[in-house]
Amino acid sequence: MVGAAGAVGREMIRTLEERRFPVDELGLFATERSAGKRVRFEGEDHTVQACAEDSLRGFDLALFSAGSAAARAIAPGAAAGGTVCVDNSSAFRMDPGVPLVIPEINAEALRDHRGIVANPNCTTITALMAAGPLHRAAGLRQLVVSSYQSVSGSGMKGIRELAEQNEKLAGMEEQLVAPDHDALPVGDVYGKTIAFNVLAFQFRPDELDWSDEERKVLNESRKILSAPELEIAATVVRVPVVAGHAVSLFATFSRPIGPDEARGVLSAFPGVQVVYDPANAEYPTPLDAAGIDDVLVGRIRAVDGREDALLLFAAGDNLRKGAALNAVQIAESLFA
């Protein structure tokens, strides 16, 4: 495993252990900065080693969660040497020669791998675990996605920044009605106050002012669904939640489909839990999704005046199904 000392890397190790993935020899690698850290697996402590170009020689499988630069530097050579690399970064997602896989949705793409398989973006996974089964049933024509992404998507540094700002603003809640903007805490991760706030734009804009995260949702969804012409619009928002990404979806289809049919399709789909109890105000939340494998889908509603459109809301654990679990499921599909 490359990137074993990070949040997703450690979650991958826990997932391998929980799912009893067959491991004859475990190698844990990371950057020089993280070398020497200890990680526990199956009752034993393992030392994380600094990763070099030949570190993966002799391994059948490598799970990568070390960022795009490390993946580009190491994965191609490892794959050429016979190691199957499952990469959690964006380095190879849009490479036409690399499968981009959510196993419940497009496991068949793994047949054509050439040694590298890409893990999709966490928001894309959450959205498509809700929309993908309905696409299979009724043919998606349009998908409008708004995401509500937790700070754990930025790693521990994002969680710490939110916690520090919450602490600084504790007891000042009434003042936030008309805040002194110059006095608000601002961190290095987000560049704006994330506590008691939502951030509607992050990272780099393109020529249409889409962020790169929004482009990932567009491009990755089309690739995973094998629908290159699918019309997708995305707005990515960071919210002051520790774990769990949520998405609201507006979807149109090639034929009429109602909420009852949609609930039936989603209830039968592996990895999805339908949360439907309007009388008791039950609906998906990031906190409910945190720490579990399934993506929660609810608020499945008709659109006034249309029989070919639905509204949905979904929440998933961005560190589990949005990253570590999906990567391990890919490995299981390849080696089970």
Side-chain angles (χ1 to χ4, degrees):
M1 178 172 298
V2 183
V8 173
R10 289 176 182 269
E11 190 64 44
M12 284 181 178
I13 294 167
R14 284 191 290 269
T15 304
L16 290 170
E17 189 171 20
E18 289 171 2
R19 296 174 72 87
R20 299 184 181 277
F21 188 89
V23 177
D24 295 324
E25 179 184 354
L26 180 68
L28 302 180
F29 304 98
T31 62
E32 290 279 358
R33 183 180 58 188
S34 297
K37 291 184 177 180
R38 306 282 285 174
V39 175
R40 198 161 184 82
F41 179 73
E42 294 187 342
E44 295 184 10
D45 287 331
H46 298 259
T47 301
V48 177
Q49 305 173 54
C51 191
E53 287 188 13
D54 60 349
S55 294
L56 301 179
R57 186 174 299 158
F59 286 96
D60 296 316
L61 169 70
L63 301 178
F64 278 74
S65 186
S68 296
R72 290 191 185 100
I74 300 169
T83 303
V84 177
C85 301
V86 180
D87 178 40
N88 193 55
S89 79
S90 61
F92 304 105
R93 288 176 185 160
M94 298 315 301
D95 186 324
V98 174
L100 180 66
V101 176
I102 303 173
E104 296 92 338
I105 294 175
N106 67 327
E108 67 280 358
L110 293 171
R111 292 194 297 263
D112 300 323
H113 84 82
R114 304 172 191 173
I116 300 175
V117 179
N119 210 30
N121 176 270
C122 46
T123 303
T124 302
I125 291 175
T126 301
L128 290 192
M129 286 296 289
L134 301 176
H135 172 61
R136 185 179 297 175
L140 269 174
R141 298 184 64 185
Q142 180 189 48
L143 187 63
V144 180
V145 182
S146 295
S147 78
Y148 310 91
Q149 298 181 196
S150 66
V151 296
S152 60
S154 303
M156 283 304 302
K157 60 185 182 297
I159 296 174
R160 284 193 291 267
E161 188 162 299
L162 173 61
E164 290 167 1
Q165 292 180 10
N166 281 338
E167 185 176 352
K168 290 177 181 177
L169 293 172
M172 300 175 59
E173 290 81 3
E174 291 186 10
Q175 298 175 37
L176 294 178
V177 175
D180 176 358
H181 293 279
D182 292 334
L184 292 174
V186 175
D188 295 332
V189 178
Y190 299 116
K192 288 182 177 290
T193 306
I194 181 63
F196 301 96
N197 204 10
V198 299
L199 307 180
F201 184 83
Q202 298 160 75
F203 310 111
R204 297 172 298 276
D206 65 11
E207 67 279 1
L208 295 179
D209 280 344
W210 284 50
S211 73
D212 51 358
E213 284 285 295
E214 290 158 349
R215 283 292 172 196
K216 288 175 187 176
V217 174
L218 168 68
N219 294 327
E220 293 177 23
S221 297
R222 286 174 168 175
K223 183 174 180 179
I224 293 164
L225 297 178
S226 298
E229 303 302 319
L230 178 62
E231 184 179 350
I232 301 177
T235 300
V236 168
V237 180
R238 188 73 68 180
V239 296
V241 170
V242 171
H245 285 3
V247 294
S248 67
L249 306 175
F250 169 81
T252 67
F253 299 91
S254 298
R255 67 166 178 82
I257 180 171
D260 288 340
E261 181 184 354
R263 280 189 284 270
V265 168
L266 290 165
S267 294
F269 196 75
V272 170
Q273 288 185 39
V274 172
V275 181
Y276 177 64
D277 189 359
N280 292 304
E282 290 291 337
Y283 50 87
T285 74
L287 268 181
D288 291 332
I292 68 172
D293 291 343
D294 289 348
V295 172
L296 308 180
V297 185
R299 300 294 326 279
I300 303 169
R301 296 158 286 152
V303 177
D304 280 349
R306 298 190 64 162
E307 295 182 345
D308 64 341
L310 291 170
L311 294 161
L312 308 93
F313 190 83
D317 189 319
N318 52 297
L319 298 180
R320 291 180 71 87
K321 182 55 184 172
L325 172 63
N326 199 76
V328 172
Q329 287 175 311
I330 290 171
E332 289 172 341
S333 299
L334 291 167
F335 289 94

